Amino acid sequence: QVQLVESGGGLAQPGDSLRLSCTASGRPFSNRAMAWFRQTPGKERECVAAINSIGGITYSESTKGRFTISRDNAKNTVYLQMNNLEPEDTAVYFCARGVRPYISSFPPPTQDFEAWGQGTQVTVSS
């Protein structure tokens, strides 16, 4: 049983930075792709960044250049550094563990992921 626990969300002002963390337990971490998704009420879950097992990275167009995904396999943790936050970034952010070492496409379908965290709220408002 894989458990993913996110942390680091909160309230930020436009232009601020936040770093989200997601720590995995229960299964090997390093041999799977990981991703960050976000969701707002009434909308589908959106993948904002994904990282494969050897470090290959893909970003959504809305976050490219502002967000950075990284992973520390020794700590079983994936991070999302979010810079220059915008009100449109307000959402619940989820991390997800892939079923394979890589994602098949971007944006990846949610079926490519076998475990999800509980989510952490990010609110960007002045």
Side-chain angles (χ1 to χ4, degrees), residues 26-90:
R27 287 281 182 88
F29 173 83
S30 62
N31 63 349
R32 298 298 179 92
M34 298 292 295
W36 286 96
F37 287 75
R38 66 186 180 188
Q39 190 168 26
T40 55
K43 292 189 176 181
E44 290 190 3
R45 200 165 287 192
E46 171 197 17
C47 185
V48 299
I51 184 167
N52 66 26
S53 64
I54 59 171
I57 291 170
T58 312
Y59 297 100
S60 68
E61 285 300 316
S62 62
T63 63
K64 194 179 295 183
R66 299 188 299 120
F67 290 12
T68 302
I69 188 172
S70 60
R71 64 191 299 163
D72 185 338
N73 290 335
K75 296 182 178 180
N76 285 356
T77 300
V78 62
Y79 303 97
L80 186 68
Q81 177 68 42
M82 306 186 294
N83 297 331
N84 194 20
L85 284 163
E86 302 170 351
E88 294 74 21
D89 297 318
T90 296

